[in-house]
Amino acid sequence: MDLDFRKEWDQYVKELYEETYDGEKVIYWEVKYPFPLSNRDYVYTRECREMDVHGRKIWVVLAKSVAVPQCPEKPGIIRVKSYKQSLVIESDGKAGCKVYMYYFDNPGGMIPSWLVNWAAKTGVPAFLKDIEKACLIYSKNT
């Protein structure tokens, strides 16, 4: 949820900020893609709810793409128009948590099979390790 901190640890963030348009908080996120592919960007809303279920802390984060005229597409960047994420984080009551995530986006354009294979075999596991490291650093700084 902390966009400024995300910019510190996520090497794929090119641009990331939140603006309010017509009373609604909207996030703009540009993701670096490897050469020779074009970067992708997202415009989306999200909400977070913290719950206490029988003494267990649970956080639910929902995000989905939106179209806002104040955030037009940029030349040379492919807009991801179909994005949805549902994330649930549950405390294990100790020093850890369980994470459940549904994630979908259509990155558009032609994504070569080598990149799809890299993402599945290397990129996603490495990203999860980066998130884990970031969480450990974040908890020490808060």
Side-chain angles (χ1 to χ4, degrees):
M1 297 300 290
D2 186 333
L3 300 181
D4 288 331
F5 184 63
R6 174 82 183 253
K7 290 185 259 187
E8 290 178 29
W9 66 265
D10 186 349
Q11 64 181 323
Y12 299 103
V13 171
K14 173 140 190 209
E15 192 173 356
L16 180 62
Y17 60 86
E18 184 177 75
E19 292 282 341
T20 302
Y21 302 114
D22 300 323
E24 183 173 47
K25 290 184 179 180
V26 175
I27 296 167
Y28 176 83
W29 176 33
E30 183 181 342
V31 179
K32 297 177 203 171
Y33 266 58
F35 179 81
L37 301 174
S38 298
N39 287 355
R40 280 10 184 212
D41 69 1
Y42 299 72
V43 177
Y44 65 97
T45 59
R46 71 173 177 189
E47 60 181 282
C48 178
R49 298 282 186 259
E50 183 178 331
M51 299 179 284
D52 188 316
V53 179
H54 307 295
R56 293 182 353 249
K57 290 282 188 185
I58 299 175
W59 293 265
V60 177
V61 181
L62 304 174
K64 67 176 181 175
S65 55
V66 293
V68 292
Q70 299 93 331
C71 226
E73 294 183 40
K74 297 178 179 179
I77 300 170
I78 296 175
R79 173 69 44 94
V80 176
K81 296 176 183 170
S82 185
Y83 160 69
K84 184 175 182 177
Q85 179 180 11
S86 304
L87 174 68
V88 178
I89 303 169
E90 177 184 0
S91 169
D92 69 0
K94 301 171 192 156
C97 62
K98 295 178 185 176
V99 178
Y100 308 89
M101 183 168 68
Y102 167 82
Y103 181 96
F104 170 82
D105 78 33
N106 179 351
M110 298 293 293
I111 305 291
S113 59
W114 67 264
L115 182 57
V116 173
N117 291 335
W118 173 86
K121 293 177 184 174
T122 307
V124 172
F127 184 71
L128 292 174
K129 289 278 187 205
D130 289 346
I131 289 174
E132 182 180 20
K133 288 178 194 171
C135 288
L136 292 171
I137 293 168
Y138 192 76
S139 65
K140 289 178 183 174
N141 294 334
T142 58

